[in-house]
């Protein structure tokens, strides 16, 4: 387990170094202010109504964010795989109860960064603010494009575009979750897959 912790910490630091320059002391401080969590498949990291206190970097596996709609059905809004961050930004920002759940889709390992520790690190390492801003901008840009696809493309075009951009998702994510994320019924997605193949 110690080996895995070291490897995963190095992967996070390598990810950060893609965007900003940090020295060994700063890297060590980042590692000391985060925690590594093994999250079994289907385990909940955040329940609706809880206050979100952490951002999660996926070191291994896949997690998702969803809410329960008025019909009592899960509506998936985001996925995160290796190298991606996921959090409920509104709850984290406003210290308010979350409208969402965050759950492991696969057996996963996440690196959790609390809001409190992010604030501490941002004072110690001012460039870390730039890194977190870039991560947030990437997430926001992806959300904007998803909205565009939902309104401007046919369901078939939307699915094909998603497959081209994220081919690994089609293999890893259960069909009903993928259908929910794309705004389809599982039955429609099954028909679409048969048609395309």
């Amino acid at each position: 387990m110690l080996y895995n912790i070291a490897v995963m910490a190095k992967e996070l630091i390598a990810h950060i170094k893609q965007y900003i320059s940090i020295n060994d002391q700063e890297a060590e401080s980042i590692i000391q202010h985060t925690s590594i969590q093994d999250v079994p498949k289907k385990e909940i990291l955040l329940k609706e109504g809880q206050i979100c206190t952490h951002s999660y970097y996926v070191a291994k596996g896949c997690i998702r964010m969803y809410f329960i709609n008025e019909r009592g059905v899960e509506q998936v809004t985001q996925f995160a795989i290796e190298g991606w961050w996921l959090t409920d930004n509104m709850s984290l920002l406003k210290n308010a109860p979350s409208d969402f759940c965050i759950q492991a889709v696969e057996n996963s390992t996440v690196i959790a960064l609390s809001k409190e520790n992010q604030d501490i690190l941002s004072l110690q390492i001012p460039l870390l603010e730039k890194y977190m801003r870039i991560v947030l901008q990437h997430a926001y840009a992806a959300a904007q494009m998803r909205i565009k696809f939902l309104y401007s493309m046919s369901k078939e075009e939307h699915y094909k575009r998603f497959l081209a951009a994220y081919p690994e998702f089609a293999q890893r994510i259960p069909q009903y979750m993928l259908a929910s994320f794309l705004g389809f019924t599982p039955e429609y997605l099954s028909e679409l897959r048969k048609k395309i193949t």
Side-chain angles (χ1 to χ4, degrees), residues 80-188:
I81 56 172
E82 293 87 358
W84 294 13
W85 287 89
L86 186 65
T87 191
D88 178 351
N89 284 298
M90 186 67 76
S91 176
L92 193 72
L93 178 69
K94 297 200 168 187
N95 197 39
S98 177
D99 293 320
F100 299 93
C101 299
I102 297 177
Q103 180 188 44
V105 176
E106 304 171 343
N107 291 330
S108 303
T109 302
V110 299
I111 300 177
L113 174 61
S114 70
K115 184 177 187 307
E116 180 184 356
N117 281 340
Q118 184 177 332
D119 291 342
I120 290 168
L121 285 169
S122 294
L123 290 173
Q124 289 179 2
I125 312 165
L127 270 179
L128 198 62
E129 284 282 349
K130 178 182 178 184
Y131 168 74
M132 296 309 291
R133 174 179 54 78
I134 291 169
V135 165
L136 195 58
Q137 285 175 325
H138 280 286
Y140 186 68
Q144 284 180 310
M145 290 309 294
R146 181 168 177 239
I147 291 167
K148 179 180 186 257
F149 296 157
L150 283 171
Y151 285 105
S152 68
M153 292 183 173
S154 70
K155 289 183 176 183
E156 186 171 336
E157 288 172 326
H158 187 195
Y159 179 60
K160 286 180 177 177
R161 184 82 178 237
F162 180 83
L163 282 184
Y166 307 106
E168 68 273 24
F169 276 162
Q171 305 301 318
R172 296 175 64 176
I173 294 172
Q175 185 167 303
Y176 79 95
M177 288 186 192
L178 183 56
S180 174
F181 177 74
L182 294 170
F184 304 164
T185 63
E187 295 76 17
Y188 179 80

Side-chain angles (χ1 to χ4, degrees), residues 21-81:
S21 295
I22 55 173
N23 59 38
D24 291 345
Q25 184 180 349
E26 291 168 333
E28 186 58 35
S29 185
I30 291 168
I31 292 165
Q32 288 175 358
H33 283 85
T34 58
S35 62
I36 295 181
Q37 300 175 21
D38 288 320
V39 191
K41 181 178 179 178
K42 296 188 178 181
E43 184 171 307
I44 301 284
L45 284 162
L46 176 71
K47 292 180 182 176
E48 181 182 354
Q50 288 181 328
I51 294 172
C52 184
T53 57
H54 289 76
S55 296
Y56 299 101
Y57 175 85
V58 181
K60 178 176 162 262
C62 177
I63 62 177
R64 68 172 177 147
M65 181 182 287
Y66 67 94
F67 66 92
I68 308 296
N69 68 21
E70 67 280 353
R71 294 175 315 220
V73 177
E74 292 177 2
Q75 180 64 59
V76 179
T77 59
Q78 292 181 59
F79 290 104
I81 56 172

